[in-house]
Amino acid sequence: MLNTILDKLPPGPTMFFGAIYVVMPILPEPHLVQKAVMLSQGLTLAPIDWLDIVMHSSGGLLALAVYRRSRQRAAEAASASSNPMPSDDEQA
């Protein structure tokens, strides 16, 4: 079911906007970088900070999933074209 959803998404725009969403806001620093610094300093994160991590990570995870699925479909198409299925006449 997930593959059918990923197949309907256009890979180029999905990966582009997913990557943009990961680094937003660009100035003064991306939220994911800010949260990583906070975690590395041992600061306690509020629930809104965890929501921020999930929201900004989701675009990148979606972009990664679409990229992997498009590569998988390309590999399946390449293997299908190099190894065509024999017809009924050829099997006999």
Side-chain angles (χ1 to χ4, degrees):
M1 182 173 129
L2 182 61
N3 284 341
T4 58
I5 295 170
L6 292 176
D7 290 342
K8 293 179 182 178
L9 295 172
T14 304
M15 289 185 281
F16 174 75
F17 288 114
I20 293 296
Y21 196 64
V22 166
V23 297
M24 292 306 272
I26 295 174
L27 296 175
E29 67 183 343
H31 281 176
L32 288 178
V33 173
Q34 181 184 24
K35 303 309 177 204
V37 169
M38 290 171 68
L39 285 171
S40 70
Q41 293 173 349
L43 299 175
T44 304
L45 296 180
I48 192 72
D49 295 325
W50 289 107
L51 178 67
D52 217 14
I53 291 171
V54 169
M55 293 299 292
H56 284 280
S57 299
S58 64
L61 293 174
L62 179 63
L64 180 64
V66 168
Y67 173 75
R68 288 182 55 108
R69 179 61 183 156
S70 66
R71 296 285 296 189
Q72 181 183 18
R73 288 181 64 202
E76 289 170 359
S79 68
S81 66
S82 65
N83 297 325
M85 296 288 291
S87 64
D88 291 336
D89 295 338
E90 294 173 357
Q91 289 179 355

